[in-house]
Amino acid sequence: MKFFVDTADVDAIRELNDLGLVDGVTTNPSLIAKSGRDILEVTKEICDMVDGPVSAEVVATEYEAMIEEGRKLAEIAPNIAIKVPLTLDGLRACKTFTSEGQMVNVTLCFSANQALLAAKAGATFISPFVGRLDDLNIDGLELIADIRQIYDNYGYETQILAASIRSANHMSDCAKIGADVATAPPAVIKGMANHVLTDKGLAAFLSDAEKAGIKIV
Ligand code: E4P
């Protein structure tokens, strides 16, 4: 499973990139606003740092305006994936962009039917939001499993990009189901390294090493 980082914080992306944990980045208007930076400037900086796809989202809601914004975003770098919302205008824009060879991430997916439409529109990525469904007591992981089954039934090549990931358990659950990608905030990805027995075991090893005077260099 590929790891995308869900943030527009360049320092956080750099830290994870140095660990080899970044296969791509996703942003959205809320994350850009949180960064306090100009969308074109911060997105360019991210694209220069990361080899994989960097999703940048349009803010227009009508087809023509989405096309204009998407083309502007695509000029930033070759690794831009234009992010469009899962609306009829967004699906039409998806079809236009993909027919031009552009990567497209269709976002705000909350049902299997929406994911089916995105695949038929030729989306590169579909972004089902796990955490926001869980917030409503609807099983977000079940949606990932349903989309996996539907895409596999027909050989759709659209990649399932599990989004709105809130915990390390979400990451391993998405991997078990077979999501192609999961995008998560930096803290969730770093948190995957944590285990109380690792901390306890390391403390014991270090204590024994000190008592025995073990020195390596
Ligand atoms: C996906 O691309 C979105 O940017 C993101 O995963 C949404 O997550 P949230 O529901 O935690 O805001």
Side-chain angles (χ1 to χ4, degrees):
M1 186 173 75
K2 283 175 267 188
F3 283 19
F4 287 4
V5 193
D6 199 27
T7 185
D9 178 336
V10 289
D11 293 331
I13 296 168
R14 187 174 299 108
E15 184 187 359
L16 285 173
N17 204 28
D18 289 347
L19 286 165
L21 294 176
V22 178
D23 298 308
V25 173
T26 51
T27 66
N28 62 38
S30 306
L31 293 170
I32 296 289
K34 194 172 164 194
S35 78
R37 298 187 54 191
D38 172 74
I39 181 170
L40 300 178
E41 185 194 288
V42 71
T43 307
K44 169 87 177 114
E45 203 174 321
I46 296 168
C47 287
D48 287 346
M49 192 193 316
V50 171
D51 291 332
V54 175
S55 292
E57 187 164 344
V58 300
V59 289
T61 54
E62 287 171 12
Y63 171 77
E64 298 290 353
M66 279 187 196
I67 295 298
E68 194 184 357
E69 288 186 0
R71 292 212 167 111
K72 177 105 181 167
L73 292 170
E75 279 172 11
I76 296 173
N79 54 335
I80 284 285
I82 303 168
K83 208 170 175 190
V84 297
L86 210 153
T87 59
L88 293 180
D89 284 88
L91 291 170
R92 187 174 162 208
C94 171
K95 188 166 182 300
T96 300
F97 290 135
T98 52
S99 69
E100 294 170 354
Q102 189 68 53
M103 286 188 287
V104 179
N105 177 356
V106 178
T107 190
L108 291 168
C109 171
F110 294 94
S111 76
N113 276 329
Q114 290 180 317
L116 190 48
L117 292 179
K120 291 189 78 70
T124 318
F125 302 104
I126 180 66
S127 289
F129 278 36
V130 174
R132 292 192 195 185
L133 283 170
D134 284 356
D135 290 343
L136 299 177
N137 288 327
I138 298 168
D139 190 343
L141 292 168
E142 195 176 309
L143 174 60
I144 302 295
D146 287 348
I147 300 171
R148 180 73 283 154
Q149 183 184 345
I150 289 168
Y151 282 9
D152 288 349
N153 281 349
Y154 298 98
Y156 286 121
E157 287 178 8
T158 298
Q159 295 180 51
I160 301 172
L161 196 175
S164 190
I165 295 294
R166 303 276 173 77
S167 68
N169 282 349
H170 271 163
M171 292 294 280
S172 47
D173 285 337
C174 285
K176 278 193 270 184
I177 292 166
D180 300 287
V181 190
T183 190
V188 169
I189 294 176
K190 282 162 64 178
M192 293 169 72
N194 296 342
H195 200 291
V196 65
L197 293 179
T198 303
D199 297 340
K200 199 176 160 193
L202 182 59
F205 287 156
L206 293 180
S207 160
D208 289 343
E210 194 181 340
K211 278 184 228 150
I214 296 172
K215 289 209 180 338
I216 298 172
V217 287

